[in-house]
Amino acid sequence: MSKGIGLGGVHALIARTYSLLALLLLNPNDLRKELEERAEDMKKLDPLILASIGCQECSDKLNEFLNTLWKVKDNERLFDEFEIDYTNVLLSRPGGTLCPPYESIYVLGRKAQIGDPRISNSLNEFYSVAGLSVKEVPGVMPDYAPVELEFLAALHEYEFVALSENANDEAIKTLSEFRREFLFKHPKRWLGEFAECIINNSKNELLKGIGDLLICLMNCEEKL
């Protein structure tokens, strides 16, 4: 797709989708207000725009996911069901976490420590180039899925702004190349396997939808 508002709109939509998924992969009950705000923000964007870059399937899955989210977020029973499944699939439990949301585990093996320096040092280099850093919070490591997704969201947001402000072609190319370098060195290496784990182990429609979206977005990235 040529430089312009159409491509900028795609970047804006993907950025906000990643941010929404990152929030849902954090402890969702503690972030209900922010979830409401991000969900409302998604209403301003049209999932169909993904079809313009050859991602019709992802457009359909995003639309289906958002319809499920609208239904779940305002219904306490449905939200509780989501939280229960979230806890069973993504949080620590006796015998080990079913789907640990950390890159180190998928790249280095189940016996690896979360935030392993062999992974985290590289991630921190990417984050620092963009002027970002990871807050020191228990369980939040550079290789934590929500952190990598928020960073991808920021990179797409940078490209959206650059296109919206008619930045020169070289600046836009530099941003795109940096995003793709990060993508292939980190998220593409493991988020697909993580997403498959979620789909295979979850019973909840919304949680399965997160897995479906992660897979299609990783595929869709290759078209940008």
Side-chain angles (χ1 to χ4, degrees):
M1 181 182 288
S2 62
K3 173 181 173 182
I5 188 64
L7 185 55
V10 170
H11 284 296
L13 175 62
I14 292 176
R16 285 156 181 75
T17 302
Y18 281 140
S19 284
L20 180 61
L21 294 179
L23 191 66
L24 284 165
L25 287 170
L26 289 166
N27 189 335
N29 197 45
D30 290 345
L31 301 161
R32 292 289 288 274
K33 182 178 179 182
E34 191 170 354
L35 176 60
E36 184 72 32
E37 291 172 354
R38 293 196 190 184
E40 285 298 314
D41 196 34
M42 290 297 296
K43 290 182 178 179
K44 303 172 186 175
L45 300 163
D46 184 1
L48 287 175
I49 198 171
L50 291 174
S52 66
I53 60 167
C55 291
Q56 180 65 56
E57 181 183 3
C58 207
S59 172
D60 294 340
K61 286 188 180 297
L62 177 56
N63 190 56
E64 181 181 342
F65 175 80
L66 291 174
N67 287 334
T68 301
L69 179 61
W70 309 144
K71 180 175 63 177
V72 170
K73 71 182 182 66
D74 295 324
N75 184 303
E76 287 301 320
R77 179 183 61 81
L78 294 177
F79 200 87
D80 286 346
E81 290 175 358
F82 167 66
E83 275 203 296
I84 291 169
D85 210 32
Y86 170 93
T87 300
N88 289 336
V89 174
L90 297 171
L91 298 188
S92 297
R93 64 182 199 170
T97 309
L98 286 175
C99 302
Y102 297 93
E103 181 179 348
S104 296
I105 304 300
Y106 296 87
V107 174
L108 302 176
R110 282 274 173 167
K111 293 184 179 180
Q113 294 294 314
I114 62 173
D116 187 290
R118 288 171 288 179
I119 302 296
S120 292
N121 288 346
S122 173
L123 285 164
N124 283 327
E125 287 179 9
F126 278 104
Y127 300 156
S128 64
V129 167
L132 302 172
S133 60
V134 180
K135 289 183 180 180
E136 294 186 5
V137 178
V140 176
M141 302 287 184
D143 65 334
Y144 189 35
V147 173
E148 293 195 26
L149 289 172
E150 283 286 16
F151 187 62
L152 264 179
L155 297 183
H156 279 283
E157 192 71 22
Y158 293 155
E159 290 185 70
F160 163 63
V161 171
L163 287 163
S164 299
E165 295 180 351
N166 295 313
N168 63 61
D169 290 341
E170 190 60 34
I172 293 170
K173 180 182 177 183
T174 298
L175 288 171
S176 178
E177 288 177 347
F178 182 72
R179 171 179 53 82
R180 290 178 65 82
E181 182 184 5
F182 172 72
L183 179 76
F184 283 95
K185 284 189 175 180
H186 290 287
K188 282 284 284 185
R189 291 204 301 173
W190 75 284
L191 281 181
E193 185 179 351
F194 171 59
E196 289 284 359
C197 185
I198 291 176
I199 293 167
N200 292 335
N201 287 282
S202 63
K203 301 175 183 176
N204 183 269
E205 184 181 5
L206 183 60
L207 193 57
K208 283 183 181 291
I210 291 174
D212 285 335
L213 262 185
L214 284 175
I215 290 172
C216 77
L217 285 169
M218 287 298 100
N219 293 331
C220 197
E221 284 275 3
E222 298 183 16
K223 300 179 185 293
L224 288 168

